[in-house]
Amino acid sequence: TLEATGLTRATGPERPLLAQAFAALTQKSGLHSFYQHNAWNGKYFIETDIAHLPFIGTLAAVSNRLFYQSLNILGDIESYHIVLVLIASIGVYVVSRFTYELTGSLFGSFVAGLSLALFPIYFAESHFNFKDPVQSVFYAGAVWQLWRWVRKNSYILLALAALFAGLALAVKWNIGFLPFIIFPWLISIRKTDTFRRWWQPKRILAGIILAGSGIALFLVA
């Protein structure tokens, strides 16, 4: 039974999706999120859920505090999910821009971005899934910036790649598979002029060390 596990059954307003109904219950103390109820505290997840890091959950909580509890311009649940929609929009931009840089075609860029935006599972889950769509955006961003780094050999682009990789790592561990994409690609272009211009082992090693250190500091902070 629930009592035997030491957990508490969640209670709240009958229709928690209606912000006004929940606000009526908290008039004396101001607006509070449904998920601030003690039954939804983080004890259970801290003790049992170690699969994912809380970065996106933290952003969503900040968004709820700002847009719902402070400004009251979005509903309780909607203020959590707006973060996901915004990040998903960044993903559409990344795919569109990456496609344009690869092909030089505005039409191809438009089709690529629209295809992602309207892809059913991406469109749907970007409204409620706190992990997979967000991870796909940061993952794509890391691939994009690493590709640009090899082309232009700029530390700024490597720093952007590290930023995307750090954000992805703060969501899920899937970014660990990135080398399995990048290394085969580098091998496939090893005889090109682009690769020869980029291939400066000492400079590359120094950049990777700095980027890795930045990612580690981000996760610790």
Side-chain angles (χ1 to χ4, degrees):
T1 63
L2 187 66
E3 291 74 14
T5 64
L7 302 178
T8 305
R9 187 178 299 279
T11 58
E14 293 181 359
R15 303 181 67 188
L17 291 177
L18 297 179
Q20 292 181 349
F22 189 51
L25 301 176
T26 58
Q27 286 179 349
K28 294 182 180 180
S29 56
L31 294 176
H32 287 79
S33 173
F34 171 70
Y35 293 102
Q36 286 180 294
H37 190 284
N38 285 334
W40 292 96
N41 64 38
K43 181 179 179 181
Y44 170 80
F45 297 99
I46 291 173
E47 294 178 349
T48 63
D49 186 6
I50 59 173
H52 304 309
L53 296 172
F55 175 66
I56 294 301
T58 302
L59 285 184
V62 171
S63 176
N64 179 271
R65 180 63 64 90
L66 175 64
F67 293 111
Y68 172 60
Q69 298 183 44
S70 297
L71 301 178
N72 194 23
I73 58 177
L74 288 175
D76 187 5
I77 307 302
E78 292 84 353
S79 62
Y80 285 111
H81 293 175
I82 191 65
V83 171
L84 308 180
V85 175
L86 290 175
I87 294 176
S89 300
I90 294 174
V92 173
Y93 169 78
V94 167
V95 169
S96 299
R97 180 69 180 271
F98 196 2
T99 302
Y100 178 74
E101 292 181 359
L102 280 169
T103 65
S105 169
L106 286 174
F107 178 73
S109 173
F110 174 77
V111 171
L114 187 65
S115 297
L116 177 63
L118 298 181
F119 192 70
I121 193 169
Y122 186 82
F123 178 84
E125 294 204 5
S126 64
H127 289 77
F128 64 84
N129 188 330
F130 280 73
K131 299 299 179 182
D132 297 326
V134 175
Q135 175 71 189
S136 68
V137 172
F138 295 150
Y139 205 123
V143 172
W144 175 40
Q145 293 304 322
L146 285 172
W147 175 78
R148 299 183 78 212
W149 174 47
V150 172
R151 289 184 64 206
K152 299 184 179 181
N153 205 9
S154 168
Y155 276 142
I156 294 177
L157 299 176
L158 178 59
L160 289 174
L163 174 62
F164 276 113
L167 292 173
L169 191 58
V171 178
K172 291 178 71 175
W173 306 111
N174 304 53
I175 194 66
F177 293 101
L178 185 61
F180 296 99
I181 296 175
I182 299 301
F183 289 155
W185 171 66
L186 289 175
I187 293 172
S188 72
I189 66 167
R190 67 188 184 280
K191 295 182 179 180
T192 64
D193 291 337
T194 297
F195 182 86
R196 294 189 184 99
R197 287 192 299 269
W198 171 78
W199 182 246
Q200 303 174 38
K202 292 183 179 179
R203 178 183 173 87
I204 293 171
L205 180 60
I208 291 175
I209 291 174
L210 289 173
S213 301
I215 292 172
L217 289 173
F218 172 75
L219 293 178
V220 171

